[in-house]
Amino acid sequence: CTHAGWRIHCGGPDQSQPGAGSFVHYELGQEYYYTISTQQGALLQSGMLSLATTEIAVQDLPAGVYLISLQNGENQLTQRFVKL
């Protein structure tokens, strides 16, 4: 996903590597609050993303489809991702 300078992808660069699909990687350029929820709206995970952090661990989530939302004072993005 690319939107307003954001790039988000789920999994590692090489999906055959151990741990692939265990992280949501992002490049944001500033701090954001994030939430990960089910498609039905149940909140599973949340926190602040800093410039020093480049990934969110999702290895504890079962395989499925999730929504990640990113917010700061001016911008909001919600993107669906699939964890295999």
Side-chain angles (χ1 to χ4, degrees):
C1 167
T2 302
H3 178 75
W6 303 340
R7 186 169 68 90
I8 303 169
H9 66 276
C10 186
D14 180 350
Q15 291 293 318
S16 66
Q17 293 296 314
S22 297
F23 299 93
V24 175
H25 301 267
Y26 66 88
E27 296 175 14
L28 299 173
Q30 56 184 295
E31 293 184 342
Y32 281 84
Y33 175 75
Y34 80 92
T35 61
I36 296 177
S37 60
T38 65
Q39 292 189 94
Q40 294 75 32
L43 179 64
L44 302 174
Q45 196 171 330
S46 65
M48 287 299 297
L49 302 175
S50 70
L51 296 176
T53 308
T54 60
E55 58 192 23
I56 302 166
V58 294
Q59 69 268 18
D60 292 337
L61 296 178
V65 179
Y66 299 95
L67 300 174
I68 182 168
S69 295
L70 304 172
Q71 298 178 343
N72 69 8
E74 302 169 7
N75 299 302
Q76 180 174 352
L77 168 72
T78 300
Q79 177 68 39
R80 185 176 6 198
F81 72 94
V82 176
K83 177 156 188 283
L84 303 177

